[in-house]
Amino acid sequence: MRKLLDSKKLEDYLRLASQYGYFNLIPKEASNVRVSNITKMSGGMTNNTCSFLLTFTQQGFEQRFDLVMKAYSEKVGLWSKVHHADEDIRPYVREFEVLRSLESVDFPVPQAYLCECDSIFFGYPFLIMHKEKVIQQSVFPMDCFAATL
């Protein structure tokens, strides 16, 4: 994500992914699908992250979702080369699978909606997930984290 995402291109991608059942957030009958407020959140050696607002109309009501796109470089390998033979070693696939697994046991992680492995769309593989609100706390609840884990 060297340059900021193009909202029209992202809208087109999300519509297409929704029609084919790859993206479960936009219903097939939705209209007025729009992407706005694209903001770069962070960038690093292995990935770049931006947030955006997805809106669409469903049955006469506007739906709004704050989402995050996390883009990965294909050139960066795993930090750890340890994996099982039946595991996918691509870091974006592994992160998506871990997030979905943690969701299934009610661990508090952002909801992961999509993992796109094909770089043809934007030039890199990426994840799309729910944007979580930041809660300011003076003390990190380590005991709660450890007990949940």
Side-chain angles (χ1 to χ4, degrees):
M1 234 181 319
R2 288 181 184 91
K3 63 178 187 154
L4 221 45
L5 276 173
D6 177 291
S7 61
K8 177 67 174 134
K9 192 171 181 179
L10 183 54
E11 286 170 13
D12 292 344
Y13 171 81
L14 293 175
R15 272 192 211 98
L16 184 66
S18 180
Q19 286 177 345
Y20 288 102
Y22 304 134
F23 187 57
N24 60 357
L25 192 58
I26 304 172
K28 291 182 182 181
E29 71 278 359
S31 61
N32 301 324
V33 176
R34 292 180 313 280
V35 169
S36 60
N37 300 346
I38 297 175
T39 307
K40 185 168 182 168
M41 295 173 64
S42 67
M45 189 171 110
T46 60
N47 59 60
N48 290 302
T49 307
C50 72
S51 65
F52 62 95
L53 177 64
L54 171 67
T55 58
F56 57 86
T57 304
Q58 179 185 14
Q59 298 176 345
F61 295 98
E62 184 177 78
Q63 306 293 319
R64 301 168 60 89
F65 294 92
D66 285 320
L67 300 174
V68 170
M69 176 188 269
K70 189 171 182 182
Y72 291 80
S73 170
E74 288 276 18
K75 296 178 176 127
V76 176
L78 287 176
W79 295 108
S80 168
K81 298 292 183 189
V82 177
H83 67 278
H84 297 282
D86 60 343
E87 286 182 330
D88 195 313
I89 63 169
R90 296 171 293 183
Y92 40 92
V93 174
R94 290 183 77 169
E95 181 172 357
F96 182 75
E97 290 172 347
V98 166
L99 286 171
R100 297 299 290 253
S101 295
L102 290 171
E103 275 180 59
S104 71
V105 295
D106 295 325
F107 192 83
V109 294
Q111 185 173 2
Y113 294 109
L114 175 82
C115 178
E116 178 57 70
C117 299
D118 196 339
S119 298
I120 197 165
F121 300 102
F122 297 108
Y124 42 79
F126 58 90
L127 297 179
I128 293 182
M129 62 189 91
H130 181 77
K131 181 180 179 183
E132 296 294 320
K133 305 286 186 236
V134 176
I135 299 172
Q136 295 292 339
Q137 292 182 337
S138 59
V139 178
F140 183 70
M142 186 58 78
D143 292 336
C144 179
F145 174 75
T148 304
L149 189 59

